[in-house]
Amino acid sequence: GQNIDQPTEMTATEGAIVQINCTYQTSGFNGLFWYQQHAGEAPTFLSYNVLDGLEEKGRFSSFLSRSKGYSYLLLKELQMKDSASYLCAVKDSNYQLIWGAGTKLIIKP
Amino acid sequence: IAGITQAPTSQILAAGRRMTLRCTQDMRHNAMYWYRQDLGLGLRLIHYSNTAGTTGKGEVPDGYSVSRANTDDFPLTLASAVPSQTSVYFCASSPVGTGGGDEQFFGPGTRLTVL
């Protein structure tokens, strides 16, 4: 079967750095996405990786290793507004997104 | 206003009733999707449409039907609602559907409770 694993919850301090990991087993691979979802709101796109390596976008970076079935989202200079759930999703061989359950990130002052 | 709208925002429904959730996008995206989101689970695809006039089944299609008569609208119908269909429903769209880096844009969601 297809599976996306990520930690259920993480806590970090304002101004610090946090890394959210995602491992996947899917039928085919056509890219990995990270989305942010604030409580009670819709998911919004953060990043896309299809080749191995690091993609940097401001305070957020995303890394992919296809051979290991592994990705992480790195958030730097954490702000209170970064408190949200972070969803990892992989596009499979049918170009459908398979979603992880999400990691709830709690930022403390 | 560009984006995706969903209606209603929330609904309480008696079991056995028929219900249609509406979704409209004005971005001229080819592909549209319906997901349900339940606590502790990832988003699960119900149905999708890669272009107007075509639809496909996702991971959890039973009890739901969709139509795609035009590019903008993608309604989801529950023919006879059951309590296990209590969930938050998100509609999404993407420019292509079959592209790799094809980002999905989400509507605000409909919170449905079936009693």
Side-chain angles (χ1 to χ4, degrees):
Chain A
Q2 308 202 91
N3 197 47
I4 310 285
D5 285 318
Q6 46 182 136
T8 303
E9 186 174 297
M10 299 181 71
T11 302
T13 304
E14 189 177 16
I17 299 172
V18 71
Q19 177 175 313
I20 302 174
N21 295 325
C22 171
T23 58
Y24 63 89
Q25 290 178 307
T26 57
S27 57
F29 180 84
N30 281 298
L32 185 143
F33 294 77
W34 284 96
Y35 280 75
Q36 181 189 59
Q37 186 177 24
H38 285 101
E41 297 183 7
T44 56
F45 170 79
L46 284 178
S47 68
Y48 169 70
N49 295 70
V50 67
L51 299 176
D52 291 351
L54 188 68
E55 294 281 343
E56 297 186 81
K57 189 185 294 187
R59 293 191 298 115
F60 293 6
S61 303
S62 56
F63 172 83
L64 174 67
S65 169
R66 288 172 296 170
S67 63
K68 296 182 179 179
Y70 168 71
S71 172
Y72 67 74
L73 180 69
L74 191 71
L75 292 74
K76 303 175 185 176
E77 302 169 12
L78 286 170
Q79 303 175 9
M80 297 304 293
K81 68 178 182 179
D82 297 329
S83 292
S85 289
Y86 292 85
L87 314 181
C88 175
V90 172
K91 191 162 278 194
D92 69 9
S93 57
N94 294 317
Y95 293 99
Q96 300 301 338
L97 279 176
I98 309 301
W99 296 81
T103 298
K104 182 178 180 180
L105 179 63
I106 300 168
I107 310 296
K108 295 187 175 180
Chain B
I1 299 177
I4 303 180
T5 58
Q6 293 184 235
T9 301
S10 64
Q11 181 76 44
I12 299 175
L13 188 67
R17 296 295 296 270
R18 181 184 180 90
M19 174 76 190
T20 295
L21 307 185
R22 300 184 298 278
C23 175
T24 299
Q25 55 104 358
D26 63 1
M27 296 177 284
R28 307 304 293 172
H29 285 172
N30 281 325
M32 297 187 75
Y33 314 85
W34 273 106
Y35 292 95
R36 59 178 290 172
Q37 187 175 41
D38 301 292
L39 198 63
L41 299 176
L43 287 160
R44 291 183 291 169
L45 183 66
I46 304 170
H47 285 286
Y48 66 94
S49 168
N50 283 333
T51 189
T54 69
T55 63
K57 294 182 180 180
E59 179 187 356
V60 289
D62 293 344
Y64 306 95
S65 64
V66 292
S67 61
R68 186 89 184 278
N70 57 59
T71 297
D72 299 344
D73 301 300
F74 191 43
L76 176 73
T77 297
L78 289 68
S80 178
V82 295
S84 62
Q85 292 178 313
T86 294
S87 188
V88 179
Y89 291 85
F90 286 104
C91 179
S93 72
S94 64
V96 176
T98 54
D102 196 36
E103 172 191 345
Q104 292 186 11
F105 297 81
F106 285 79
T110 293
R111 184 174 297 273
L112 181 67
T113 302
V114 182
L115 300 176

